[in-house]
Amino acid sequence: MKKNVFAMAVSSLALVGCSVQSTSEPIDIVGKWNIEKAMNVTTEKATNPTFINFDKDGSVNGNASVNLFKGTYKLNGDSLKIADIGMTMMMGPSMDVEDAITKALNTTTLVKAENGKVYVFNEANDTIMVLSK
C-alpha cells in the first residue's frame, strides 16, 4: 500500500510539473515593420515613411520620419532592449513624429504580437509603438 501511495504522489508531482511549463512561441520580430504610431503620435504626417527593420544578427535600422537611425537590439522572450542608437541629425517639418519615435526607441522594454501587429511597451507598461508589416 505504501508503494502505491508513493507512486501516485510521484505521478501527481510529475503532472503538476508539466502543467506549469510555458508553451508560448517566441515572438518573431525579424524583418521590416512600418511604424504606425509612437508615443500616441500617428505617423501619417511623417516626412518619409517610418519603419524599423530588425535583422537576424541583432542589428536594427530604420527611418524616424526625417532621420535614419541604426543600433542593436536584444529580444529575450517578450523582453526587448534597443541600444546603441545612432541617428542622422537633419531638421524637417515632421519633428513631432521624429521626437516620438526617438523617445519610444529609447524606452522600449516589452513586445507583444497580436493580429499581425507588434505592440511595444515601456517600463510602465504603456504602449509606446505600434508596428505592422
Side-chain angles (χ1 to χ4, degrees):
M1 173 100 175
K2 284 184 179 179
K3 288 183 183 179
N4 289 341
V5 172
F6 179 74
M8 288 189 319
V10 170
S11 295
S12 296
L13 287 174
L15 289 174
V16 169
C18 290
S19 66
V20 296
Q21 291 178 349
S22 174
T23 59
S24 63
E25 295 286 322
I27 298 171
D28 183 14
I29 61 171
V30 172
K32 183 178 177 181
W33 295 86
N34 299 311
I35 303 172
E36 293 183 1
K37 187 186 271 191
M39 308 304 292
N40 293 319
V41 175
T42 66
T43 59
E44 295 170 350
K45 295 182 180 179
T47 303
N48 296 298
T50 58
F51 70 89
I52 186 167
N53 183 54
F54 296 94
D55 288 326
K56 288 180 183 178
D57 67 0
S59 63
V60 64
N61 64 71
N63 190 311
S65 178
V66 178
N67 291 289
L68 301 173
F69 64 88
K70 67 177 183 173
T72 61
Y73 78 95
K74 185 176 272 193
L75 179 66
N76 185 10
D78 64 353
S79 175
L80 176 65
K81 177 68 177 164
I82 298 175
D84 306 321
I85 299 172
M87 186 174 269
T88 57
M89 301 292 288
M90 297 181 291
M91 294 295 291
S94 59
M95 293 309 291
D96 58 330
V97 174
E98 177 96 14
D99 292 342
I101 292 172
T102 302
K103 185 173 182 181
L105 291 171
N106 286 308
T107 58
T108 298
T109 59
L110 295 170
V111 291
K112 177 182 175 184
E114 188 174 279
N115 299 324
K117 293 189 179 190
V118 169
Y119 299 88
V120 181
F121 301 90
N122 63 12
E123 195 173 86
N125 209 28
D126 299 321
T127 304
I128 57 171
M129 270 197 298
V130 179
L131 311 175
S132 63
K133 286 278 183 170

